[in-house]
Amino acid sequence: MIYVAFEPGLQILGQALYTIADGFGTFKSIAAQYFLAEGVGTANPDGSLKLDPAAWYPVEAELRVMKRVEQELGSLVVFNGGKKIPENAVFPPSADIHTGLAAIDIAYHMNHGKNGRPLFDAATGRKLPGVGSLAYEPSPSGNAGRLIAHSFYPDEFIRGLIVSMAHKFKPQARVQLDATRPSVTKGGETTTWLITW
């Protein structure tokens, strides 16, 4: 279910949260007001949002803001927020489009946490539960793949994230919803994205 955390107490790293807020572009001042109203961050003298990149913030508040942004400003603004994630959030290194798309799930767990600790242990490579997954599977042909998103974020946000990561390696890459499968937006548990280049 979108905009509903899978369990209580989930957190998002300030660096990732700032990236999302910054991704709202010309609407980031409005988004800043929404975050501040939720008790997330503080206001800079110019009214912009100030977040501690190393601090953890409640996912529930972030989801309420994102839902409000989508309802009041539209899904394109949410899509653009997703596109900003690979630019500034914590991501493992990637050598090509396949490792880049596979890194999305690791980064998803690195940037979300519980009790001030990330849901990814870099020492063991273990991902902890709580946020679902953004699992990438390359196609045997080598020039395509699919990403199955089990997440509380809206589809347009996840699509923006995938588009941005794919375009880092293959600017001609296309990301399309697999219309033959359920989607989170339509009440499904997962959304399947097809990536081709």
Side-chain angles (χ1 to χ4, degrees), residues 4-194:
V4 178
F6 292 157
E7 59 183 68
L10 291 174
Q11 299 168 309
I12 183 166
L13 193 59
Q15 184 172 345
L17 188 58
Y18 176 76
T19 300
I20 293 167
D22 191 50
F24 294 145
T26 57
F27 298 105
K28 66 183 170 186
S29 63
I30 296 170
Q33 293 171 17
Y34 297 167
F35 279 114
L36 293 169
E38 288 288 342
V40 174
T42 58
N44 285 312
D46 66 356
S48 63
L49 184 65
K50 181 179 181 181
L51 297 167
D52 178 349
W56 292 96
Y57 295 91
V59 163
E60 292 90 349
E62 173 210 13
L63 292 174
R64 286 191 296 270
V65 169
M66 194 175 288
K67 182 176 183 179
R68 188 172 174 190
V69 165
E70 185 172 40
Q71 289 173 338
E72 296 179 16
L73 305 175
S75 60
L76 180 60
V77 178
V78 172
F79 170 78
N80 288 332
K83 281 178 64 177
K84 285 289 189 177
I85 294 293
E87 291 181 21
N88 300 305
V90 178
F91 262 82
S94 304
D96 58 34
I97 190 168
H98 293 296
T99 58
L101 291 169
I104 289 174
D105 190 48
I106 296 168
Y108 184 55
H109 286 80
M110 290 171 74
N111 287 282
H112 287 87
K114 197 159 187 183
N115 300 317
R117 299 183 60 181
L119 296 178
F120 178 76
D121 184 333
T124 64
R126 184 171 171 241
K127 292 180 274 188
L128 300 174
V131 291
S133 64
L134 302 174
Y136 175 70
E137 302 168 357
S139 73
S141 70
N143 63 349
R146 70 179 185 166
L147 190 142
I148 300 171
H150 176 232
S151 173
F152 37 70
Y153 289 106
D155 286 337
E156 281 301 291
F157 180 77
I158 299 297
R159 184 173 73 89
L161 169 57
I162 299 167
V163 165
S164 182
M165 181 56 80
H167 284 180
K168 282 178 96 170
F169 299 98
K170 300 287 184 182
Q172 75 278 20
R174 293 184 57 207
V175 178
Q176 294 179 293
L177 180 72
D178 183 346
T180 67
R181 305 193 48 98
S183 70
V184 172
T185 300
K186 294 183 179 177
E189 291 214 8
T190 63
T191 299
T192 301
W193 296 101
L194 305 174

